[in-house]
Amino acid sequence: MVVLRHAAQDVARDPSGWERRILSPCCPGSSSEFMRTTIAPGVDAGVFAPHAGGSREYLAVERGALQLTVDGTSHVLRAGDSAYYAGDCHHQFVNPGREPCVYYLAMALTQSRPHARRSRVPPAGVRRRS
């Protein structure tokens, strides 16, 4: 058994108004990750580059609204909604609402590349909101 205490969890914070907390303990050889993300109202967390081919992501919205865009196709998810998508494509997370959005993301990667440390790479024509 591996326990990861709250104080020891890896947290990424962006000045634009989002926070991602890695909830899954790091285990040697693991290719999965579980995280909790909070995005402030009106914030665009950016476009994330594709993970390795065959990677998968599972998302569940706990609170607020989330505009999830996968390879240019957007879907608005609300509290209680969930989604699955291939992680080997561009994906973007935006809070279009007036309250914070909280969602959980489980990733199954074909090679270990932490999502919280990925650089955001916008495709041509995509801009972050101010």
Side-chain angles (χ1 to χ4, degrees):
M1 180 171 139
V2 178
V3 175
L4 179 61
R5 302 288 181 200
H6 185 265
Q9 294 169 354
D10 188 19
V11 179
R13 291 182 180 90
D14 191 88
S16 68
W18 63 264
E19 174 185 287
R20 177 164 289 131
R21 178 176 291 277
I22 306 299
L23 302 175
S24 49
C26 182
C27 299
S30 176
S31 61
S32 62
E33 203 166 52
F34 181 55
M35 59 194 77
R36 179 182 192 267
T37 301
T38 303
I39 302 179
V43 170
D44 180 341
V47 176
F48 290 81
H51 301 291
S55 296
R56 301 171 310 280
E57 298 194 11
Y58 304 86
L59 185 148
V61 179
E62 178 182 289
R63 182 168 50 121
L66 179 70
Q67 180 179 323
L68 170 65
T69 303
V70 178
D71 269 349
T73 302
S74 293
H75 304 273
V76 175
L77 306 172
R78 304 197 185 287
D81 292 344
S82 58
Y84 156 82
Y85 55 94
D88 56 358
C89 57
H90 286 94
H91 41 289
Q92 179 179 18
F93 308 95
V94 177
N95 179 351
R98 295 182 177 168
E99 66 175 293
C101 173
V102 176
Y103 66 91
Y104 292 87
L105 184 67
M107 297 176 19
L109 303 173
T110 54
Q111 69 182 54
S112 184
R113 296 194 316 192
H115 198 265
R117 294 184 190 104
R118 298 278 307 149
S119 60
R120 289 165 288 146
V121 181
V126 174
R127 293 179 37 193
R128 289 180 62 178
R129 286 189 197 174
S130 306

